[in-house]
Amino acid sequence: MGSVTTSKHANGLEYVDINTPLCKARVFMQGAQIDYFEPVGQKPLLWVSSADDYQPGNGIRGGIPVCWPWFGMSDNPDFPQHGFARTRIWSLESVKMRNQIVDLKFTLKISEEDKQYWPHDTSVELLFTLSDTLSVSLVNTNNCDYEVSLTQALHTYFPINDIHQLTASGFSGAKYIEFAKGPFPQEGDSVDFTRETDRVYTNLGECQELHTPDGIIEVRRENSQSAVLWNPWIEKSQRLSRFNSDDYLTMVCLEAANVLEDKVTLAPNESHTLTTHIRWKA
Ligand code: BG6
């Protein structure tokens, strides 16, 4: 059947270990951040920097950090980049096993201190469905009697073996903003990597693929018309925290998002679910 157990990392962070006939995975309570997912008989689908030492208070440099309730910089420059959810301790509300599939549900209670960042009465959940595919859903519900808007991303780090041999496809018809310029129309369907890439795509179709020497990773999104494609390349790698200077060679981020004109606006009592599905296609 499989097992779901909780343990503590040497540096103090608590995590959930999932071990089933379909996959092995690990999810930390801090940030409800998954840092490991390996479908049985296949290679791991998530990348983590070997420079990360899993210190409490730091988001892990890899896996899937949750950017919430804003992506990138807030309008207030003193607020943390990518929101605060990725460094807060989430609660594991439920664990369900059906056949060989595991469902986990995490919730984040907004602390009094964090109300300076997010004074709205909303609820936020992160759901994992772990089989030979990884599905992650970020669910927001507005409990206020007024409209609330937010931006967000599931900031997935993928292992890609060699950035020079990576082709990302599925981008035709989209447009992107990069380094505060644009929007530019996407030319062709695919993107190759020869320099720093930091594109915020909108009007994007629901499925992209990462063609790597190890196989094709398929990335699907639901309730999302936007995504971020990021590789820091040589110079920015020197400046990033918990990141080796040559890490840019073996990772890429393709982030399921709701940003720019695709931001989420919730009427009172309304909910929204951003989902990403990740698997080895071949
Ligand atoms: C990406 C952004 O999503 O996240 C990049 O597009 C940013 O500009 C990167 O550098 C990493 O951010 P952080 O806060 O985790 O270092």
Side-chain angles (χ1 to χ4, degrees), residues 240-251:
L240 283 173
S241 56
R242 305 179 300 287
F243 199 83
N244 298 305
S245 56
D246 59 356
D247 275 347
Y248 78 96
L249 290 167
T250 57
M251 56 67 68

Side-chain angles (χ1 to χ4, degrees), residues 59-62 65 67 71-73 80-82 86 153 155-157 179 196-200 228-232 236 239-242 251 253 255:
I60 300 163
R61 178 66 73 192
C67 304
F71 174 83
M73 291 307 293
Q81 163 146 294
H82 292 333
R86 61 178 171 166
H155 190 307
T156 312
Y157 287 78
F179 310 129
E196 183 181 348
T197 301
D198 197 350
R199 297 181 175 185
V200 183
V228 180
L229 185 64
W230 178 57
N231 181 285
K236 189 166 179 178
R239 287 184 271 127
L240 283 173
S241 56
R242 305 179 300 287
M251 56 67 68
C253 287
E255 312 166 28

